[in-house]
Each structure stands twice: as C-alpha cells, then as structure tokens.
Amino acid sequence: MIHVTKTFLPDQKEYNAILKKAWDTSWITNRGDLVKKLENQIKEKYHIDHIIATTNGTLPLQLAIKGLGLRGEIITTPFSYIATASSIVWENCKPVFVDIDRETYNIDATKIEAAITEDTKAIIATHVFGNPCDVEAIEGIANKHGLKTIYDAAHAFGVEHKGKSIFSYGDISTCSFHATKIFHTGEGGALFANNETLHEHMYHLHNFGHNGPEAFHGLGINAKMSELQGAMGLTILPYIDQIIEKRKAAYAHYKELLKNTSLGFQKILENTKYNYSYIPVLFENEAQLLRVIEGLNHANIFPRRYFYPALNMVNYLQGQEMPIAESISKRILCLPLFYDLTKEQIETISIIIKEKLS
Ligand SMILES: *Cc1c(COP(=O)(O)O)cnc(C)c1O
C-alpha cells in the first residue's frame, strides 16, 4: 500500500540515544534541555530570532489570535486545513474569506482590500503546500490599514523567501510538526514572533501565564512541547536537508512524467527556496479526478483530496461564496510524496493517472 505520505523515521537507536538524556534526569516535560536544544538548533539553522516549541500546530494559531488581542473580523483563506479557520472561530472572531489565486492556491492579495471593514483586525493566511503567500503585498495592505498578520506556515518548514526564513514574515508565523508534515515531532509545532516583546508575551501565554512558580503575568494556557517530542525533533532535524532533496527529486520526476497531460501544477512564488512538501495536481473536472482516485485505489495507492472541501463549505463556516477555491478544491489531488518513495512507484502512479485521463 502506498499512502499520500509516510512518516520519516530513522533508526530507532538514534531516538533512544537522545531520549536517554530525559531518562537520566527524569525530566520529561516543562521545557527541559531537549526542547530548548531543538529550539536553538532550528533558530541557528534558519537564522530566526524567536521560536516557541508547542505541543501541536493548532494551539499556536489560537495563541496568536489571543496574544495579539484580536476581536472582530479576521480575513483568511478558504483553501487551507480546517485548523486555520476553526482557530478563528474558537477564539470568538469572525472569519471573512477572500478567494484564492488560481495558480498559487494562496489567498489572492489583490482581493483583500475589498473585504476590509471597520471591524477587520487581522489577516491570517496559509502558505499553501509550503508555497509562500505574496508576503510583500500582504504586508503593504496590513500596514496601510493597521492590521496584524499571522501566517499559518504549517507546510512551510525549511522554506525561504528572498533569502529569509518564511517564518520571519508577519507579526507571527506558526508551524506544525505533526507526523504527516515534512519535519515532525510526532505531534508538535512552533510559534515564531517577529519581535522580542511579542515573543515574551507569547512565551508566557503558552505556559499558563507563569511568572515564576507563584506569580502570573496574566491569562495563559498549556501549549508546551514535551521532552519526548523534543527528542523526536532532535532525531529528525539532522535529516531535513536530505528529506527535502529526496522530495525535490521525486517532485521533478512526477512533473517530467506528467508534463504532456492536461494536469495543472502549483505555481511557486518567485525568489523562493521551496521545500517540496506536497505535489498537488489539478484536474479539468471532478469526474476526471474521481476516475483517477478509483484507478489508484484499485492498485492500493491512496492519494488525498487536500484541501477538500473548501472551508467556506464547512457547516459552521457557510455563507460566503468562493468560486475559485470551491472549483479548485473539487479538482485537486495530492499525490504520494515521501522520503523513500521510489522512482518505480512514481512511474506506476503516473501510468495509472495517464491511463485514466485519456
Ligand atoms: C496540519 C495543519 C495544521 C494543524 O497542525 P496540527 O499540528 O495537526 O495541530 C494547521 N494548518 C494547516 C494548514 C495544516 O496543514
């Protein structure tokens, strides 16, 4: 069976060797040496000033909304994972969708201004499949209208734009280190704030608001990463460049084999060092997509309709029409892409797709 993704795991001995440090000290959570070491390694590798490791990739989105004190309308994308929009609702704000660009699948920055009202407080945009949003255009709009920007960079580990880590854009960026993501800690994530004051505020927020053992800065919650997760991160991080290289080769192989077909591919923003975290292909219509899925499933291959449905079609988010996101979400499919996917497997998958297309 071939699934859309497969969690990268090196030799278990490597994990055990790092985990032993937690055993030796009986310190398995509350920001021990392993989590701090992981944070430092990520900061150094990607030249980032601030990071807070978290227990998953959803809490940092909720923390960002809470920590920036947002109340009211938040402009966001209808083409993302549910966590982007559910976090807005969970924090008692109102998601206002802006449709996406047909080629990049990211929020269409040229349509944002028309959606701004007196109640708009922020923009939360997703770097869809790791492809950076038009961060310059969004920054310009945010500055002009006094809005905060949060980037859901759950897919974007290792991505750079104009020579800078994608995590350094916006007031806050968040990432997911879930087992299905390109870099993972089993469950996990991170929050990246763009200045020291905001970082400190977010840091308190993620640890119950603690100011020492007996005092509090204010309201907080528990979003801490454990040492067990930290150990997993330290095991995987040394492989990340290799993981991206392997995916890059697989991505190129798919594109070569599928180039003379009617399939569409995502357009990656210029000046980007991409991470090849997904290979989405766009069909002409949903019937074609369903035929291909059926053919692949028959051969025990399980791609994923990602993202489907468009978020404005989810029951508690309904009421705004997003024609482009709705159309693309019905026609897009993420093909299997992971570290040890072989050339032969890519060929098999491509042959089935081409057969079903014709
Ligand atoms: C995976 C994902 C999340 C949520 O991350 P978790 O670690 O699963 O909580 C949020 N946004 C996007 C775009 C994602 O793909």
Side-chain angles (χ1 to χ4, degrees):
M1 282 217 287
I2 304 175
H3 289 280
V4 66
T5 190
K6 184 176 160 200
T7 301
F8 175 83
L9 291 169
D11 194 322
Q12 200 186 335
K13 286 197 195 97
E14 296 175 29
Y15 179 57
N16 290 345
I18 295 173
L19 206 54
K20 187 171 180 305
K21 293 176 189 160
W23 245 256
D24 288 346
T25 54
S26 301
W27 190 294
I28 63 165
T29 188
N30 282 0
R31 298 190 50 81
D33 289 344
L34 299 178
V35 162
K36 285 192 241 168
K37 194 168 170 189
L38 177 63
E39 288 179 339
N40 285 333
Q41 286 189 2
I42 293 173
K43 268 164 63 175
E44 273 166 32
K45 184 164 172 53
Y46 297 108
H47 308 285
I48 306 163
D49 293 330
H50 307 289
I51 178 174
I52 301 166
T54 56
T55 193
N56 60 45
T58 302
L59 272 167
L61 283 169
Q62 294 175 203
L63 283 172
I65 297 166
K66 184 82 89 190
L68 290 169
L70 306 179
R71 292 225 145 250
E73 294 178 4
I74 298 179
I75 289 176
T76 191
T77 174
F79 192 67
S80 183
Y81 184 59
I82 188 72
T84 316
S86 67
S87 297
I88 296 173
V89 177
W90 196 269
E91 294 302 333
N92 293 313
C93 291
K94 182 175 172 223
V96 173
F97 293 116
V98 166
D99 214 345
I100 60 170
D101 180 87
R102 287 174 195 283
E103 292 185 302
T104 65
Y105 312 148
N106 284 325
I107 195 166
D108 185 342
T110 66
K111 292 183 179 157
I112 291 177
E113 279 198 291
I116 295 175
T117 72
E118 280 184 356
D119 277 337
T120 309
K121 299 291 161 31
I123 301 165
I124 301 188
T126 300
H127 301 306
V128 172
F129 305 132
N131 183 27
C133 294
D134 190 345
V135 284
E136 275 90 22
I138 293 173
E139 190 181 326
I141 296 163
N143 287 343
K144 182 171 159 198
H145 296 271
L147 307 178
K148 300 291 184 189
T149 42
I150 300 170
Y151 287 110
D152 181 343
H155 300 169
F157 195 90
V159 171
E160 288 174 18
H161 176 60
K162 295 202 167 160
K164 263 176 42 178
S165 166
I166 199 67
F167 297 146
S168 58
Y169 290 88
D171 290 285
I172 290 178
S173 291
T174 65
C175 194
S176 167
F177 302 161
H178 186 260
T180 54
K181 303 299 202 294
I182 188 160
F183 167 75
H184 78 90
T185 58
E187 291 272 358
L191 182 146
F192 306 88
N194 79 353
N195 68 69
E196 180 68 29
T197 316
L198 185 57
H199 169 76
E200 294 223 331
H201 178 54
M202 299 309 305
Y203 181 88
H204 299 140
L205 229 67
H206 106 295
N207 185 24
F208 300 103
H210 266 298
N211 176 16
E214 293 168 7
F216 297 92
H217 292 278
L219 181 68
I221 198 170
N222 180 8
K224 297 187 306 293
M225 176 179 277
S226 82
E227 290 291 277
L228 311 181
Q229 294 169 292
M232 182 63 89
L234 289 169
T235 312
I236 308 293
L237 193 62
Y239 290 94
I240 190 66
D241 292 335
Q242 219 172 299
I243 292 171
I244 292 174
E245 276 310 306
K246 291 272 270 179
R247 284 169 169 267
K248 183 179 179 179
Y251 187 100
H253 197 44
Y254 268 125
K255 269 191 118 168
E256 179 60 28
L257 292 172
L258 296 171
K259 71 179 173 192
N260 292 322
T261 64
S262 55
L263 293 175
F265 293 94
Q266 185 180 27
K267 183 178 163 204
I268 305 298
L269 187 74
E270 275 144 48
N271 296 313
T272 295
K273 187 174 160 209
Y274 186 49
N275 67 356
Y276 306 91
S277 48
Y278 297 85
I279 175 117
V281 290
L282 188 67
F283 293 87
E284 288 173 314
N285 54 60
E286 192 177 19
Q288 222 179 32
L289 168 138
L290 293 172
R291 267 205 321 272
V292 166
I293 294 179
E294 199 183 18
L296 289 170
N297 288 355
H298 193 69
N300 268 326
I301 298 161
F302 299 93
R304 174 133 185 229
R305 296 188 73 176
Y306 203 45
F307 306 108
Y308 176 80
L311 295 177
N312 61 304
M313 304 305 282
V314 172
N315 54 7
Y316 67 91
L317 297 165
Q318 273 165 3
Q320 305 166 58
E321 277 178 34
M322 294 289 131
I324 299 170
E326 286 167 43
S327 164
I328 286 177
S329 65
K330 282 189 192 127
R331 297 184 286 124
I332 202 160
L333 187 67
C334 282
L335 302 179
L337 184 61
F338 47 85
Y339 184 79
D340 48 8
L341 184 70
T342 65
K343 278 196 142 181
E344 294 69 36
Q345 288 171 323
I346 295 170
E347 279 151 22
T348 306
I349 293 165
S350 302
I351 288 168
I352 296 171
I353 294 173
K354 284 202 239 178
E355 258 172 33
K356 296 291 169 184
L357 278 179
S358 55

